[in-house]
Amino acid sequence: MSVSVLMRPAARRSRQGSGRTRAEGDRSFLAKGVIIALGFTLLATIMFSLAAGASDASVVSVIGALMPGADSANNVLSLRDSIIIYDIRLPRVVLGALIGASLAVSGAVMQGLFRNPLADPGIVGVSAGAGLGAVSVIVLGGTVLAPLVTIFGFYALSIAAFFGALVFTLVLYGVATRRGQTSIATMLLAGIALGAMAGAYIGLLTYLADDRQLRDLTFWTLGSLAGSNWAKIAAAGPFIVAALLVSPFLARSLNGLALGEASASHLGIPVQRFKRIAIIVVAAATGASVAVSGGIGFVGVVVPHLLRLVIGPDHRYLLPAAALLGASLLLLADAVSRTIVAPSELPIGIVTAAVGAPFFLWILLRSRGILDL
């Protein structure tokens, strides 16, 4: 009898889930549901962002104008609203969604690569490196870097930001990692040092800038989606989209790397090649984003951490969920920045920092056991 009693719980577990066994703690079903919900959330956020602002266009009219069956936007929207929606807000929403997704995915990849939940392009200096490359082109594009601008045209800004982010990521990884182990203290201190170094050079370039360049740099360094247009999307979009398309293929290796580099190698993962690909993905996504939007911080640390609390650390679900949630959160932050001080506009970097900095502090306190929430 004792054997049959012991077998009953196992039998019940084996019948759970419509005849398929699901291991205890498996959150894949929940993760899939969260991804679907985040997809609908992103669609709703896009509609809200298109309708929010000084224009009196409603969400219903915007949806009607964007429907494939609509003969003309003027049948639903006025001429003024059509210009605002299609020429101003739509490029801004597309660019904001791309940047939010890229920053969140970059944060998730970096946290998996460093095996540390505090890794983020903005915190550890990668965004500062991208900013240094972009500012160099803005200020020196007509003199020292004129050949680069001549060769690459409007792609020069994104390319310079990409290489700036790439160099800083390589330096950060080399300094913070020893024998396959990454020190959180070394990583944060190295990030502070790299950010300070980039800030010094950016300050020097700002001093050399003329009045027009100075106005652009002042607003750009705070982070903003103002001035978004289809040309900026064409310049940064290919880098961001390529990084987002490659990132799902990193999921298996990121999961294996969580066990340690030695264990990942035993699982057949080419660790060194994977590291190089992951660093290039982060540099491309971060560099292109910073080039067109400036410094927007904390998206990369807040979004992946929130999702891990809900769906777990499996990167097969974490990366797409981070892309969707990152896009939604940045669009919401942009809507707040456009409306909270209307008709003026608050730099979006201020909004994300106001929310992300306390959350980052909470993560630090929680990781040290001070908070058990």
Side-chain angles (χ1 to χ4, degrees), residues 229-294:
N229 52 47
W230 298 112
K232 287 187 176 180
I233 294 175
F239 294 93
I240 295 175
V241 171
L244 292 177
L245 290 178
V246 171
S247 62
F249 297 98
L250 304 178
R252 176 179 173 271
S253 297
L254 287 171
N255 288 341
L257 196 63
L259 303 174
E261 293 190 11
S263 299
S265 298
H266 291 316
L267 293 174
I269 298 173
V271 175
Q272 296 304 320
R273 186 177 68 182
F274 162 71
K275 288 180 182 178
R276 290 192 291 268
I277 295 174
I279 288 173
I280 292 174
V281 167
V282 170
T286 304
S289 299
V290 171
V292 294
S293 67

Short mmCIF file of all heavy atoms in Angstrom, two decimals, residues 229-294:
data_model
loop_
_atom_site.label_atom_id
_atom_site.label_comp_id
_atom_site.label_asym_id
_atom_site.label_seq_id
_atom_site.Cartn_x
_atom_site.Cartn_y
_atom_site.Cartn_z
N ASN A 229 12.46 61.58 -37.76
CA ASN A 229 11.97 61.59 -39.14
C ASN A 229 12.38 60.29 -39.82
O ASN A 229 13.11 59.47 -39.25
CB ASN A 229 12.49 62.82 -39.90
CG ASN A 229 14.00 62.97 -39.80
OD1 ASN A 229 14.75 62.00 -39.99
ND2 ASN A 229 14.47 64.17 -39.46
N TRP A 230 11.91 60.14 -41.04
CA TRP A 230 12.19 58.90 -41.75
C TRP A 230 13.66 58.75 -42.11
O TRP A 230 14.17 57.64 -42.25
CB TRP A 230 11.31 58.81 -42.99
CG TRP A 230 9.85 58.78 -42.68
CD1 TRP A 230 8.92 59.73 -42.96
CD2 TRP A 230 9.14 57.73 -42.01
NE1 TRP A 230 7.68 59.36 -42.50
CE2 TRP A 230 7.78 58.14 -41.92
CE3 TRP A 230 9.50 56.49 -41.46
CZ2 TRP A 230 6.80 57.35 -41.31
CZ3 TRP A 230 8.53 55.71 -40.86
CH2 TRP A 230 7.20 56.14 -40.79
N ALA A 231 14.38 59.89 -42.24
CA ALA A 231 15.82 59.81 -42.53
C ALA A 231 16.57 59.21 -41.35
O ALA A 231 17.49 58.40 -41.53
CB ALA A 231 16.35 61.21 -42.86
N LYS A 232 16.22 59.60 -40.12
CA LYS A 232 16.86 59.02 -38.95
C LYS A 232 16.55 57.53 -38.83
O LYS A 232 17.41 56.74 -38.42
CB LYS A 232 16.40 59.75 -37.68
CG LYS A 232 16.99 61.15 -37.52
CD LYS A 232 16.62 61.73 -36.18
CE LYS A 232 17.28 63.09 -35.98
NZ LYS A 232 16.94 63.68 -34.66
N ILE A 233 15.31 57.17 -39.16
CA ILE A 233 14.95 55.74 -39.13
C ILE A 233 15.78 54.97 -40.15
O ILE A 233 16.24 53.86 -39.88
CB ILE A 233 13.45 55.57 -39.38
CG1 ILE A 233 12.65 56.20 -38.22
CG2 ILE A 233 13.09 54.10 -39.54
CD1 ILE A 233 11.16 56.19 -38.44
N ALA A 234 15.98 55.56 -41.33
CA ALA A 234 16.79 54.90 -42.35
C ALA A 234 18.24 54.76 -41.92
O ALA A 234 18.93 53.81 -42.31
CB ALA A 234 16.70 55.68 -43.66
N ALA A 235 18.73 55.73 -41.10
CA ALA A 235 20.13 55.69 -40.67
C ALA A 235 20.34 54.68 -39.55
O ALA A 235 21.33 53.94 -39.54
CB ALA A 235 20.57 57.08 -40.23
N ALA A 236 19.44 54.66 -38.56
CA ALA A 236 19.63 53.81 -37.40
C ALA A 236 18.88 52.48 -37.49
O ALA A 236 19.30 51.49 -36.89
CB ALA A 236 19.19 54.55 -36.13
N GLY A 237 17.78 52.47 -38.22
CA GLY A 237 16.92 51.30 -38.29
C GLY A 237 17.62 50.02 -38.71
O GLY A 237 17.43 48.97 -38.07
N PRO A 238 18.44 50.03 -39.77
CA PRO A 238 19.08 48.78 -40.18
C PRO A 238 19.95 48.16 -39.09
O PRO A 238 19.96 46.93 -38.93
CB PRO A 238 19.92 49.20 -41.39
CG PRO A 238 19.21 50.40 -41.94
CD PRO A 238 18.66 51.11 -40.75
N PHE A 239 20.69 48.97 -38.34
CA PHE A 239 21.53 48.45 -37.26
C PHE A 239 20.66 47.84 -36.15
O PHE A 239 20.96 46.76 -35.65
CB PHE A 239 22.39 49.58 -36.68
CG PHE A 239 23.41 50.13 -37.64
CD1 PHE A 239 23.12 51.22 -38.43
CD2 PHE A 239 24.66 49.55 -37.74
CE1 PHE A 239 24.06 51.74 -39.31
CE2 PHE A 239 25.61 50.06 -38.61
CZ PHE A 239 25.30 51.15 -39.41
N ILE A 240 19.60 48.56 -35.78
CA ILE A 240 18.75 48.09 -34.69
C ILE A 240 18.01 46.82 -35.08
O ILE A 240 17.94 45.85 -34.32
CB ILE A 240 17.77 49.20 -34.27
CG1 ILE A 240 18.53 50.39 -33.70
CG2 ILE A 240 16.76 48.67 -33.25
CD1 ILE A 240 17.65 51.59 -33.37
N VAL A 241 17.43 46.83 -36.29
CA VAL A 241 16.66 45.67 -36.74
C VAL A 241 17.57 44.44 -36.86
O VAL A 241 17.19 43.33 -36.47
CB VAL A 241 15.97 45.97 -38.08
CG1 VAL A 241 15.35 44.71 -38.66
CG2 VAL A 241 14.89 47.04 -37.88
N ALA A 242 18.77 44.64 -37.39
CA ALA A 242 19.71 43.51 -37.52
C ALA A 242 20.06 42.94 -36.14
O ALA A 242 20.09 41.72 -35.95
CB ALA A 242 20.98 43.97 -38.23
N ALA A 243 20.29 43.82 -35.17
CA ALA A 243 20.61 43.34 -33.81
C ALA A 243 19.43 42.61 -33.20
O ALA A 243 19.60 41.57 -32.55
CB ALA A 243 21.02 44.52 -32.93
N LEU A 244 18.21 43.13 -33.40
CA LEU A 244 17.04 42.47 -32.84
C LEU A 244 16.77 41.12 -33.50
O LEU A 244 16.31 40.18 -32.84
CB LEU A 244 15.81 43.38 -33.01
CG LEU A 244 15.81 44.67 -32.19
CD1 LEU A 244 14.56 45.50 -32.51
CD2 LEU A 244 15.88 44.38 -30.70
N LEU A 245 17.07 41.00 -34.78
CA LEU A 245 16.85 39.73 -35.48
C LEU A 245 17.89 38.67 -35.07
O LEU A 245 17.59 37.48 -35.04
CB LEU A 245 16.92 39.95 -37.00
CG LEU A 245 15.75 40.74 -37.61
CD1 LEU A 245 15.97 40.93 -39.11
CD2 LEU A 245 14.42 40.05 -37.36
N VAL A 246 19.09 39.12 -34.73
CA VAL A 246 20.13 38.18 -34.33
C VAL A 246 19.94 37.72 -32.89
O VAL A 246 20.27 36.58 -32.53
CB VAL A 246 21.52 38.82 -34.52
CG1 VAL A 246 22.63 37.95 -33.91
CG2 VAL A 246 21.80 39.04 -36.00
N SER A 247 19.42 38.60 -32.04
CA SER A 247 19.36 38.32 -30.60
C SER A 247 18.65 37.02 -30.23
O SER A 247 19.11 36.32 -29.30
CB SER A 247 18.72 39.50 -29.85
OG SER A 247 17.39 39.71 -30.28
N PRO A 248 17.54 36.59 -30.88
CA PRO A 248 16.92 35.31 -30.50
C PRO A 248 17.85 34.11 -30.67
O PRO A 248 17.72 33.12 -29.94
CB PRO A 248 15.70 35.21 -31.42
CG PRO A 248 15.37 36.61 -31.76
CD PRO A 248 16.69 37.30 -31.86
N PHE A 249 18.79 34.21 -31.61
CA PHE A 249 19.72 33.10 -31.81
C PHE A 249 20.78 33.03 -30.71
O PHE A 249 21.54 32.05 -30.65
CB PHE A 249 20.40 33.25 -33.17
CG PHE A 249 19.45 33.17 -34.34
CD1 PHE A 249 18.97 34.32 -34.94
CD2 PHE A 249 19.02 31.94 -34.82
CE1 PHE A 249 18.08 34.25 -36.01
CE2 PHE A 249 18.14 31.86 -35.88
CZ PHE A 249 17.67 33.02 -36.48
N LEU A 250 20.84 34.05 -29.85
CA LEU A 250 21.77 34.03 -28.72
C LEU A 250 21.16 33.40 -27.48
O LEU A 250 21.87 33.18 -26.49
CB LEU A 250 22.20 35.46 -28.38
CG LEU A 250 22.81 36.29 -29.51
CD1 LEU A 250 23.13 37.70 -29.00
CD2 LEU A 250 24.07 35.64 -30.06
N ALA A 251 19.86 33.11 -27.51
CA ALA A 251 19.15 32.67 -26.31
C ALA A 251 19.73 31.38 -25.74
O ALA A 251 19.98 31.28 -24.54
CB ALA A 251 17.66 32.51 -26.61
N ARG A 252 19.94 30.38 -26.59
CA ARG A 252 20.44 29.09 -26.10
C ARG A 252 21.82 29.25 -25.46
O ARG A 252 22.09 28.68 -24.38
CB ARG A 252 20.51 28.09 -27.26
CG ARG A 252 21.13 26.76 -26.88
CD ARG A 252 21.14 25.80 -28.06
NE ARG A 252 21.88 24.58 -27.74
CZ ARG A 252 23.18 24.43 -27.93
NH1 ARG A 252 23.90 25.43 -28.44
NH2 ARG A 252 23.79 23.29 -27.64
N SER A 253 22.69 30.04 -26.09
CA SER A 253 24.03 30.23 -25.54
C SER A 253 23.99 31.02 -24.24
O SER A 253 24.76 30.75 -23.31
CB SER A 253 24.91 30.95 -26.57
OG SER A 253 25.07 30.16 -27.74
N LEU A 254 23.09 32.01 -24.15
CA LEU A 254 22.96 32.77 -22.91
C LEU A 254 22.46 31.88 -21.78
O LEU A 254 22.92 32.00 -20.63
CB LEU A 254 22.00 33.95 -23.12
CG LEU A 254 22.53 35.11 -23.95
CD1 LEU A 254 21.41 36.10 -24.27
CD2 LEU A 254 23.67 35.83 -23.24
N ASN A 255 21.53 30.98 -22.09
CA ASN A 255 21.07 30.03 -21.07
C ASN A 255 22.20 29.12 -20.61
O ASN A 255 22.34 28.82 -19.42
CB ASN A 255 19.91 29.20 -21.62
CG ASN A 255 18.63 30.00 -21.74
OD1 ASN A 255 18.48 31.05 -21.13
ND2 ASN A 255 17.71 29.50 -22.54
N GLY A 256 23.00 28.66 -21.55
CA GLY A 256 24.13 27.80 -21.19
C GLY A 256 25.20 28.55 -20.43
O GLY A 256 25.80 28.00 -19.50
N LEU A 257 25.42 29.82 -20.78
CA LEU A 257 26.45 30.60 -20.11
C LEU A 257 26.09 30.88 -18.66
O LEU A 257 26.98 31.14 -17.83
CB LEU A 257 26.66 31.92 -20.86
CG LEU A 257 27.94 32.71 -20.54
CD1 LEU A 257 29.16 31.90 -20.94
CD2 LEU A 257 27.93 34.05 -21.27
N ALA A 258 24.80 30.83 -18.33
CA ALA A 258 24.38 31.05 -16.95
C ALA A 258 24.95 29.98 -16.02
O ALA A 258 25.07 30.21 -14.81
CB ALA A 258 22.86 31.06 -16.86
N LEU A 259 25.32 28.83 -16.57
CA LEU A 259 25.91 27.75 -15.77
C LEU A 259 27.40 27.91 -15.59
O LEU A 259 28.03 27.14 -14.87
CB LEU A 259 25.63 26.39 -16.44
CG LEU A 259 24.16 26.06 -16.69
CD1 LEU A 259 24.05 24.76 -17.49
CD2 LEU A 259 23.40 25.96 -15.38
N GLY A 260 27.99 28.91 -16.26
CA GLY A 260 29.43 29.10 -16.23
C GLY A 260 30.05 28.78 -17.58
O GLY A 260 29.47 28.00 -18.37
N GLU A 261 31.19 29.36 -17.85
CA GLU A 261 31.81 29.17 -19.16
C GLU A 261 32.26 27.73 -19.38
O GLU A 261 32.15 27.20 -20.48
CB GLU A 261 32.99 30.13 -19.32
CG GLU A 261 32.58 31.59 -19.40
CD GLU A 261 33.73 32.49 -19.82
OE1 GLU A 261 34.78 31.94 -20.24
OE2 GLU A 261 33.59 33.72 -19.73
N ALA A 262 32.76 27.09 -18.34
CA ALA A 262 33.20 25.70 -18.49
C ALA A 262 32.02 24.79 -18.82
O ALA A 262 32.11 23.95 -19.73
CB ALA A 262 33.89 25.24 -17.21
N SER A 263 30.92 24.95 -18.09
CA SER A 263 29.73 24.14 -18.36
C SER A 263 29.18 24.43 -19.75
O SER A 263 28.74 23.52 -20.45
CB SER A 263 28.66 24.41 -17.30
OG SER A 263 29.12 24.07 -16.01
N ALA A 264 29.20 25.71 -20.16
CA ALA A 264 28.72 26.06 -21.49
C ALA A 264 29.56 25.40 -22.57
O ALA A 264 29.03 24.92 -23.58
CB ALA A 264 28.71 27.58 -21.66
N SER A 265 30.87 25.34 -22.37
CA SER A 265 31.75 24.68 -23.34
C SER A 265 31.45 23.19 -23.42
O SER A 265 31.43 22.60 -24.51
CB SER A 265 33.21 24.90 -22.96
OG SER A 265 33.54 26.26 -22.98
N HIS A 266 31.17 22.56 -22.27
CA HIS A 266 30.84 21.14 -22.27
C HIS A 266 29.51 20.88 -22.98
O HIS A 266 29.29 19.77 -23.48
CB HIS A 266 30.77 20.61 -20.84
CG HIS A 266 32.10 20.56 -20.16
ND1 HIS A 266 33.24 20.08 -20.77
CD2 HIS A 266 32.49 20.96 -18.90
CE1 HIS A 266 34.26 20.16 -19.93
NE2 HIS A 266 33.83 20.70 -18.79
N LEU A 267 28.64 21.87 -23.02
CA LEU A 267 27.37 21.72 -23.73
C LEU A 267 27.50 21.95 -25.23
O LEU A 267 26.51 21.87 -25.96
CB LEU A 267 26.34 22.72 -23.16
CG LEU A 267 25.88 22.47 -21.71
CD1 LEU A 267 24.98 23.62 -21.25
CD2 LEU A 267 25.13 21.15 -21.63
N GLY A 268 28.71 22.24 -25.67
CA GLY A 268 28.94 22.43 -27.10
C GLY A 268 28.79 23.86 -27.57
O GLY A 268 28.70 24.12 -28.78
N ILE A 269 28.76 24.81 -26.66
CA ILE A 269 28.61 26.21 -27.03
C ILE A 269 29.99 26.81 -27.29
O ILE A 269 30.87 26.74 -26.43
CB ILE A 269 27.91 27.00 -25.91
CG1 ILE A 269 26.50 26.45 -25.68
CG2 ILE A 269 27.85 28.49 -26.23
CD1 ILE A 269 25.79 27.04 -24.49
N PRO A 270 30.21 27.39 -28.48
CA PRO A 270 31.50 28.06 -28.74
C PRO A 270 31.55 29.39 -27.99
O PRO A 270 31.16 30.44 -28.51
CB PRO A 270 31.49 28.25 -30.26
CG PRO A 270 30.03 28.30 -30.62
CD PRO A 270 29.32 27.42 -29.63
N VAL A 271 32.06 29.36 -26.78
CA VAL A 271 31.92 30.49 -25.85
C VAL A 271 32.57 31.75 -26.40
O VAL A 271 31.97 32.83 -26.39
CB VAL A 271 32.51 30.12 -24.48
CG1 VAL A 271 32.48 31.33 -23.54
CG2 VAL A 271 31.72 28.97 -23.87
N GLN A 272 33.80 31.65 -26.87
CA GLN A 272 34.51 32.85 -27.31
C GLN A 272 33.84 33.48 -28.53
O GLN A 272 33.69 34.70 -28.60
CB GLN A 272 35.97 32.51 -27.62
CG GLN A 272 36.76 32.03 -26.41
CD GLN A 272 36.73 33.03 -25.26
OE1 GLN A 272 36.82 34.24 -25.46
NE2 GLN A 272 36.59 32.52 -24.04
N ARG A 273 33.44 32.65 -29.48
CA ARG A 273 32.75 33.19 -30.65
C ARG A 273 31.42 33.81 -30.25
O ARG A 273 31.03 34.87 -30.76
CB ARG A 273 32.53 32.09 -31.68
CG ARG A 273 31.94 32.61 -33.00
CD ARG A 273 31.81 31.50 -34.01
NE ARG A 273 30.80 30.52 -33.61
CZ ARG A 273 30.51 29.43 -34.30
NH1 ARG A 273 31.18 29.16 -35.42
NH2 ARG A 273 29.58 28.59 -33.87
N PHE A 274 30.73 33.17 -29.32
CA PHE A 274 29.47 33.72 -28.85
C PHE A 274 29.66 35.07 -28.19
O PHE A 274 28.87 36.00 -28.38
CB PHE A 274 28.82 32.74 -27.87
CG PHE A 274 27.77 33.37 -27.01
CD1 PHE A 274 26.55 33.75 -27.55
CD2 PHE A 274 28.01 33.64 -25.67
CE1 PHE A 274 25.59 34.35 -26.76
CE2 PHE A 274 27.06 34.24 -24.88
CZ PHE A 274 25.84 34.61 -25.43
N LYS A 275 30.71 35.21 -27.39
CA LYS A 275 30.97 36.48 -26.73
C LYS A 275 31.17 37.59 -27.75
O LYS A 275 30.64 38.71 -27.59
CB LYS A 275 32.21 36.37 -25.84
CG LYS A 275 32.03 35.56 -24.58
CD LYS A 275 33.34 35.55 -23.80
CE LYS A 275 33.24 34.71 -22.55
NZ LYS A 275 34.54 34.66 -21.83
N ARG A 276 31.93 37.30 -28.79
CA ARG A 276 32.18 38.33 -29.81
C ARG A 276 30.88 38.74 -30.49
O ARG A 276 30.64 39.93 -30.72
CB ARG A 276 33.19 37.80 -30.84
CG ARG A 276 34.60 37.67 -30.30
CD ARG A 276 35.59 37.45 -31.43
NE ARG A 276 35.41 36.12 -32.03
CZ ARG A 276 36.06 35.04 -31.65
NH1 ARG A 276 36.92 35.10 -30.66
NH2 ARG A 276 35.85 33.89 -32.26
N ILE A 277 30.04 37.76 -30.82
CA ILE A 277 28.77 38.08 -31.48
C ILE A 277 27.88 38.89 -30.55
O ILE A 277 27.25 39.89 -30.96
CB ILE A 277 28.07 36.78 -31.92
CG1 ILE A 277 28.89 36.07 -32.99
CG2 ILE A 277 26.67 37.10 -32.47
CD1 ILE A 277 28.34 34.72 -33.38
N ALA A 278 27.81 38.50 -29.28
CA ALA A 278 26.97 39.21 -28.32
C ALA A 278 27.43 40.65 -28.15
O ALA A 278 26.61 41.58 -28.07
CB ALA A 278 26.97 38.48 -26.98
N ILE A 279 28.74 40.87 -28.09
CA ILE A 279 29.27 42.22 -27.93
C ILE A 279 28.95 43.07 -29.15
O ILE A 279 28.58 44.25 -29.04
CB ILE A 279 30.79 42.16 -27.67
CG1 ILE A 279 31.05 41.62 -26.26
CG2 ILE A 279 31.43 43.52 -27.85
CD1 ILE A 279 32.52 41.37 -25.96
N ILE A 280 29.06 42.49 -30.33
CA ILE A 280 28.73 43.23 -31.56
C ILE A 280 27.25 43.59 -31.59
O ILE A 280 26.86 44.70 -31.98
CB ILE A 280 29.14 42.42 -32.80
CG1 ILE A 280 30.66 42.32 -32.89
CG2 ILE A 280 28.57 43.05 -34.07
CD1 ILE A 280 31.15 41.41 -33.99
N VAL A 281 26.40 42.66 -31.17
CA VAL A 281 24.95 42.93 -31.14
C VAL A 281 24.64 44.09 -30.20
O VAL A 281 23.89 45.01 -30.54
CB VAL A 281 24.18 41.66 -30.72
CG1 VAL A 281 22.73 41.99 -30.38
CG2 VAL A 281 24.22 40.63 -31.84
N VAL A 282 25.22 44.05 -29.00
CA VAL A 282 24.99 45.12 -28.02
C VAL A 282 25.51 46.45 -28.55
O VAL A 282 24.84 47.49 -28.44
CB VAL A 282 25.65 44.78 -26.68
CG1 VAL A 282 25.62 45.97 -25.73
CG2 VAL A 282 24.95 43.59 -26.04
N ALA A 283 26.70 46.43 -29.14
CA ALA A 283 27.28 47.67 -29.66
C ALA A 283 26.45 48.25 -30.80
O ALA A 283 26.24 49.47 -30.87
CB ALA A 283 28.71 47.42 -30.12
N ALA A 284 25.97 47.39 -31.70
CA ALA A 284 25.17 47.87 -32.83
C ALA A 284 23.85 48.47 -32.35
O ALA A 284 23.46 49.57 -32.77
CB ALA A 284 24.91 46.73 -33.81
N ALA A 285 23.16 47.76 -31.47
CA ALA A 285 21.87 48.24 -30.99
C ALA A 285 22.01 49.52 -30.17
O ALA A 285 21.28 50.50 -30.39
CB ALA A 285 21.17 47.16 -30.17
N THR A 286 22.97 49.53 -29.25
CA THR A 286 23.16 50.69 -28.39
C THR A 286 23.69 51.88 -29.18
O THR A 286 23.22 53.01 -29.02
CB THR A 286 24.12 50.36 -27.24
OG1 THR A 286 23.62 49.24 -26.52
CG2 THR A 286 24.27 51.54 -26.30
N GLY A 287 24.67 51.63 -30.03
CA GLY A 287 25.26 52.71 -30.80
C GLY A 287 24.26 53.40 -31.71
O GLY A 287 24.19 54.64 -31.75
N ALA A 288 23.47 52.63 -32.44
CA ALA A 288 22.48 53.22 -33.33
C ALA A 288 21.42 53.98 -32.54
O ALA A 288 20.97 55.06 -32.96
CB ALA A 288 21.84 52.14 -34.19
N SER A 289 21.02 53.45 -31.40
CA SER A 289 20.00 54.11 -30.59
C SER A 289 20.49 55.44 -30.04
O SER A 289 19.81 56.46 -30.11
CB SER A 289 19.56 53.19 -29.45
OG SER A 289 19.01 51.99 -29.93
N VAL A 290 21.69 55.43 -29.48
CA VAL A 290 22.25 56.65 -28.90
C VAL A 290 22.50 57.69 -29.99
O VAL A 290 22.34 58.90 -29.76
CB VAL A 290 23.54 56.32 -28.13
CG1 VAL A 290 24.26 57.60 -27.71
CG2 VAL A 290 23.23 55.48 -26.91
N ALA A 291 22.87 57.25 -31.18
CA ALA A 291 23.17 58.20 -32.25
C ALA A 291 21.98 59.06 -32.61
O ALA A 291 22.14 60.25 -32.94
CB ALA A 291 23.65 57.42 -33.50
N VAL A 292 20.77 58.51 -32.55
CA VAL A 292 19.60 59.28 -32.98
C VAL A 292 18.75 59.80 -31.84
O VAL A 292 17.90 60.67 -32.05
CB VAL A 292 18.70 58.42 -33.91
CG1 VAL A 292 19.43 58.12 -35.21
CG2 VAL A 292 18.28 57.12 -33.23
N SER A 293 18.98 59.30 -30.62
CA SER A 293 18.12 59.72 -29.51
C SER A 293 18.88 60.32 -28.34
O SER A 293 18.26 60.89 -27.44
CB SER A 293 17.30 58.53 -29.00
OG SER A 293 18.14 57.56 -28.39
N GLY A 294 20.20 60.19 -28.31
CA GLY A 294 20.95 60.67 -27.17
C GLY A 294 20.93 59.67 -26.03
O GLY A 294 20.63 58.49 -26.22
#
